[in-house]
Amino acid sequence: MPSELQHVELDIPIEVIWDFIRDENNWAPLVPGYIQHEKINDRQISWEFKSDLVVMKKKVTLVIDIKEWNEPNKVCFELKRKNEKYIGEGYFEAKALNRNKTRVTGFLEINATGPMGSLANSLFKKAIQIRDEEVAVAISSKLEQFNRK
């Protein structure tokens, strides 16, 4: 199963980070290939984006199902394709290092199944590393802007 773990330390108070994370409109558009998202309820978000894995290019709709929300420290979630079973999971964790510095950790694991599962998982492994780095930079930059408000 392809997975990726990212850590970043930000000179931003943990409360500011959680004000940002609380609203999916702040971070959902930062994922590469983003098309749109919709809040289904307090625990689910439908997220549509364009997948570009070299040999596999298509529009993908995922449902983020929030399993745990422990503000201001951790959010755990599962990913599912719309009307299908589990395909992955992850978490976002924040730890205050001091009053104005926070360590943010993000983790994502994907498990493609079916006839093309092995090929998809090998493509996901490389794509997750690149995408997670892009997302970490994008969210960090957006958080710094958000903190200046």
Side-chain angles (χ1 to χ4, degrees):
M1 285 185 266
S3 64
E4 182 68 14
L5 182 67
Q6 291 282 327
H7 302 282
V8 64
E9 288 184 10
L10 302 170
D11 292 323
I12 300 172
I14 195 168
E15 296 82 18
V16 173
I17 290 172
W18 280 92
D19 284 344
F20 179 84
I21 295 301
R22 184 179 292 123
D23 183 353
E24 71 278 353
N25 295 313
N26 291 329
W27 52 265
L30 300 176
V31 173
Y34 172 84
I35 297 171
Q36 67 180 356
H37 72 279
E38 177 185 354
K39 187 172 190 169
I40 299 168
N41 59 46
D42 286 344
R43 293 288 204 182
Q44 292 184 320
I45 302 165
S46 175
W47 202 359
E48 190 175 306
F49 60 96
K50 192 178 352 171
S51 169
D52 184 3
L53 296 175
V54 185
V55 296
M56 295 173 21
K57 296 180 183 190
K58 64 181 184 176
K59 188 166 70 171
V60 176
T61 301
L62 295 179
V63 174
I64 299 171
D65 191 5
I66 298 170
K67 296 299 182 184
E68 178 184 338
W69 186 278
N70 293 322
E71 189 171 332
N73 300 101
K74 193 170 188 178
V75 174
C76 297
F77 58 89
E78 284 185 352
L79 297 172
K80 301 174 186 175
R81 282 196 171 191
K82 204 162 188 147
N83 302 320
E84 291 184 29
K85 61 183 181 178
Y86 162 94
I87 65 161
E89 63 188 15
Y91 64 84
F92 171 85
E93 189 170 36
K95 180 180 181 191
L97 300 176
N98 62 41
R99 188 174 175 175
N100 294 309
K101 189 170 195 144
T102 306
R103 180 182 175 103
V104 177
T105 302
F107 174 77
L108 179 63
E109 180 177 80
I110 301 286
N111 184 26
T113 58
M116 298 290 286
S118 295
L119 173 62
N121 281 331
S122 65
L123 294 171
F124 283 146
K125 186 174 179 76
K126 182 75 171 164
I128 286 175
Q129 291 171 335
I130 293 167
R131 302 282 176 157
D132 278 1
E133 288 171 16
E134 289 176 28
V135 171
V137 168
I139 288 176
S140 296
S141 295
K142 194 71 165 179
L143 269 165
E144 287 169 1
Q145 293 171 14
F146 190 80
N147 187 42
R148 286 187 221 125
K149 290 183 181 179

